[in-house]
């Protein structure tokens, strides 16, 4: 009797352990961001008057604008946030909301429904670049040469939840427009990087022309969205990591803001 009970207890434990990890397969998806080690640092109260979580909230809500660098005392916090699980969870919350929205629409399949995606820190992530000790989260000023070299390596991973949302949109027959402030001269690198990580098709990839280099992001993006709508497309959704992706003219029927406490583009 005792033996039988012992065996059933072991069996029960086995069932509990297995059922506790039902999604073991969910981690089979290659996920380069996950391989990076989180930095140390916390939202902390070490600096009187500045709480880094409050700073990040102010950034995301667009209460803070035109900021140039992450406050020095929040660099560790931002690195930890970006490389840990919270950033990824926050992205997933955005794409889940966007998917719920798509499901709520009755799309009329006339080929005019368009979704606009930004590229950097939206469709793909430059986190492996920022995670380099020589770059970091805010301590060093932006180095265009180094960033351009990184772009040419074409090693930026996808933000997994955005990629899976993109795939759903493609299945729904929504046209995909990538609208990025990246310059035209980087097209071959951007396109190859995007294809390598799973963004296999799109209807347009709009990159900044030399003639547009003086335009602010919000002006440049507004102009192209206006052009799209003049061509008869309906921008049913628009997703980006910067407010300048999502405000201005013809922002789209719904906008979805991904988190980005690393940099500000006005
Ligand atoms: C910027 O990056 C380039 C290429 O990696 C490097 O040679 C240069 O020293 C960097 N400049 C500064 C100011 O750090
Ligand atoms: Mg972006």
């Amino acid at each position: 009797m005792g033996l039988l009970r012992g065996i059933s207890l072991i069996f029960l434990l086995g069932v509990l352990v297995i059922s506790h990890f039902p999604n073991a397969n969910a981690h089979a998806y290659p996920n380069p961001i996950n391989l990076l080690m989180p930095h140390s640092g916390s939202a902390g109260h070490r600096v009187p008057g500045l709480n880094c979580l409050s700073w990040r909230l102010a950034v995301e809500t667009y209460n803070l604008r035109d900021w140039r660098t992450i406050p020095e005392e929040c660099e560790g916090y931002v690195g930890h946030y970006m490389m840990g699980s919270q950033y990824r969870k926050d992205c997933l919350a955005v794409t889940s909301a966007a998917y719920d929205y798509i499901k709520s629409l009755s799309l009329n399949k006339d080929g005019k429904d368009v979704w606009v995606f930004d590229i950097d820190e939206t469709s793909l992530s430059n986190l492996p670049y920022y995670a380099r000790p020589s770059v970091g989260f805010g301590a060093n000023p932006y180095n265009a040469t180094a960033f351009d070299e990184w772009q040419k390596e074409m090693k930026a991973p996808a933000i997994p939840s955005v990629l899976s949302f993109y795939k759903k949109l493609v299945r729904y027959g929504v046209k995909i427009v990538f609208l990025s402030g990246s310059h035209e001269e980087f097209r071959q690198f951007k396109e190859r990087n995007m294809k390598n990580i799973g963004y296999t098709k799109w209807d347009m990839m709009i990159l900044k022309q030399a003639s547009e280099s003086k335009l602010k992001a919000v002006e440049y993006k507004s102009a192209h969205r206006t052009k799209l709508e003049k061509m008869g497309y309906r921008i049913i959704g628009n997703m980006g990591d910067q407010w300048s992706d999502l405000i201005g003219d013809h922002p789209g029927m719904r906008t979805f803001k991904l988190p980005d406490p690393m940099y500000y583009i006005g």
Side-chain angles (χ1 to χ4, degrees):
M1 197 59 190
L3 181 66
L4 198 61
R5 222 186 256 165
I7 289 171
S8 10
L9 186 63
I10 288 165
F11 176 75
L12 179 67
L13 278 174
V15 168
L16 281 176
V17 167
I18 289 165
S19 61
H20 202 70
F21 298 100
N23 284 328
N25 268 341
H27 299 285
Y29 186 81
N31 198 340
I33 296 176
N34 230 4
L35 300 177
L36 298 165
M37 289 298 291
H39 279 184
S40 59
S42 70
H45 299 270
R46 278 162 295 169
V47 179
L50 181 67
N51 176 281
C52 296
L53 180 51
S54 303
W55 177 81
R56 182 165 69 82
L57 185 66
V59 161
E60 295 302 349
T61 49
Y62 205 36
N63 292 329
L64 264 184
R65 300 180 190 186
D66 301 313
W67 53 277
R68 290 183 169 274
T69 54
I70 299 166
E72 212 181 308
E73 53 272 43
C74 295
E75 281 164 27
Y77 167 74
V78 170
H80 183 74
Y81 167 76
M82 289 302 296
M83 302 222 253
S85 60
Q86 192 62 48
Y87 168 62
R88 298 155 50 73
K89 285 177 189 164
D90 290 350
C91 289
L92 179 59
V94 175
T95 56
S96 300
Y99 186 43
D100 285 344
Y101 161 66
I102 281 295
K103 285 187 288 186
S104 77
L105 296 177
S106 45
L107 300 171
N108 63 25
K109 311 262 176 201
D110 60 358
K112 293 292 184 188
D113 290 326
V114 157
W115 193 280
V116 175
F117 284 99
D118 169 54
I119 296 184
D120 291 272
E121 267 58 66
T122 297
S123 308
L124 55 73
S125 170
N126 295 300
L127 202 42
Y129 170 77
Y130 291 103
R132 290 175 179 173
S134 59
V135 183
F137 297 92
N140 302 309
Y142 176 70
N143 181 335
T145 313
F147 189 74
D148 289 354
E149 283 171 4
W150 154 253
Q151 292 200 83
K152 289 179 178 173
E153 288 177 38
M154 300 176 287
K155 285 189 186 143
I159 294 178
S161 56
V162 178
L163 177 60
S164 90
F165 173 62
Y166 153 89
K167 287 181 175 167
K168 286 171 183 149
L169 283 177
V170 170
R171 279 202 295 275
Y172 270 72
V174 175
K175 285 201 152 60
I176 305 294
V177 173
F178 291 112
L179 174 53
S180 166
S182 252
H183 285 259
E184 180 65 36
E185 61 187 285
F186 287 93
R187 178 175 296 277
Q188 56 164 318
F189 305 107
K190 277 294 194 234
E191 288 190 347
R192 272 167 61 194
N193 195 153
M194 292 286 276
K195 286 197 167 141
N196 287 345
I197 57 181
Y199 295 96
T200 49
K201 57 171 277 188
W202 54 80
D203 295 278
M204 282 181 229
M205 184 184 283
I206 303 167
L207 302 179
K208 215 171 190 181
Q209 306 300 307
S211 59
E212 297 171 311
S213 61
K214 290 225 169 79
L215 293 179
K216 293 174 93 178
V218 64
E219 295 165 342
Y220 160 74
K221 295 211 166 186
S222 288
H224 283 281
R225 289 192 309 260
T226 301
K227 211 183 265 182
L228 283 171
E229 299 227 326
K230 284 212 172 113
M231 286 161 80
Y233 292 112
R234 284 180 299 272
I235 301 173
I236 60 170
N238 178 6
M239 187 175 282
D241 64 295
Q242 297 290 322
W243 277 90
S244 55
D245 298 330
L246 309 173
I247 58 172
D249 302 330
H250 301 276
M253 284 161 57
R254 282 276 311 256
T255 58
F256 294 89
K257 170 74 173 70
L258 287 160
D260 188 353
M262 296 196 296
Y263 55 83
Y264 175 92
I265 299 173

